[in-house]
Amino acid sequence: MISPHPILDLTCTLSLHDFSVVDYQHLLSVCEQQRRNRWVDNARAVCLMRLERIDEALEIFRRIALSPGTCVLRGDLPDEIKLNYASALLAKGQLIGALDVLDELGDPNQWMAIQIRCVLLDWEKSLPWWKRILWRAGRLEFATPVSVDFELGVWPPAGVSIPGRSIDRAGTSDGFGRITGDDKADPASVPL
């Protein structure tokens, strides 16, 4: 059976036992040598995000996530790629775009989606009251920076098990998919 994530075999062969010390530059160069498909491109874009090359990551995501010549997400796009695209938009400061992509998720309660919504909620709370009202009323964006305290993008791809390491849906390693420091994250409590 052919894996829907051909980059997984590549990841496993790199013997990555601790994803906190992944050499994303090396992994990016290995990905660039692979035959192009949306899963390899997704992995390339996540590497670029982790290397803080957001503009390049967004170019890739726009090519694989959007219908040609439009700003509409492809109908067959997996949630994993949508989450990664939303992460790149968040990192670029395109908050409305990130929210719009999150609204298209098949499962809006995925941990990465909750993390992004929590970041946006914290950002909104940091605004003066009058800007908060404007944001809520018309979703106006402001030059207030958005602080992200987690690694952007789902890595490795969802449901991957690397020898000696179990990775949950969000790519975190605590085994429970929790947001760091949040023992009781309730998806219903995130109103965005």
Side-chain angles (χ1 to χ4, degrees):
M1 179 176 155
I2 296 174
S3 170
H5 303 286
I7 197 66
L8 297 186
D9 297 329
L10 170 66
T11 304
C12 292
T13 61
L14 293 175
S15 301
L16 301 174
H17 296 288
D18 185 358
F19 285 101
S20 64
V21 293
V22 173
D23 181 355
Y24 289 106
Q25 185 60 51
H26 173 70
L27 190 55
L28 177 63
S29 65
V30 173
C31 288
E32 288 172 349
Q33 297 170 12
Q34 302 298 308
R35 196 178 102 214
R36 293 279 168 90
N37 64 45
R38 71 178 170 187
W39 293 112
V40 172
D41 285 344
N42 178 61
R44 286 178 53 232
V46 171
C47 289
L48 289 167
M49 275 196 299
R50 300 275 173 99
L51 292 168
E52 298 179 8
R53 293 164 54 185
I54 305 301
D55 290 330
E56 293 172 71
L58 277 172
E59 278 182 41
I60 293 171
F61 283 127
R62 287 184 180 123
R63 185 171 33 81
I64 65 174
L66 301 178
S67 295
T70 71
C71 292
V72 178
L73 289 175
R74 293 177 189 258
D76 64 341
L77 195 65
D79 277 359
E80 177 182 48
I81 294 176
K82 290 177 189 175
L83 286 169
N84 289 337
Y85 184 35
S87 298
L89 290 167
L90 176 71
K92 184 65 175 171
Q94 297 178 2
L95 310 182
I96 294 171
L99 283 172
D100 288 344
V101 172
L102 291 179
D103 288 343
E104 297 292 323
L105 290 173
D107 177 10
N109 294 325
Q110 296 182 55
W111 281 109
M112 181 60 69
I114 292 170
Q115 288 177 311
I116 292 170
R117 289 181 190 278
C118 286
V119 164
L120 290 171
L121 185 61
D122 288 344
W123 169 81
E124 180 184 351
K125 288 178 181 178
S126 74
L127 296 173
W129 67 270
W130 61 274
K131 284 186 175 182
R132 249 181 284 152
I133 292 171
L134 290 173
W135 166 254
R136 280 291 177 167
R139 284 193 170 174
L140 299 176
E141 293 191 49
F142 303 100
T144 307
V146 176
S147 174
V148 178
D149 61 352
F150 57 91
E151 282 193 305
L152 294 170
V154 178
W155 186 267
V160 176
S161 180
I162 303 297
R165 184 80 181 243
S166 176
I167 305 298
D168 65 7
R169 292 174 12 171
T172 60
S173 61
D174 70 351
F176 300 102
R178 290 185 297 219
I179 300 169
T180 303
D182 185 6
D183 292 339
K184 296 180 182 176
D186 178 12
S189 69
V190 184
L192 292 176

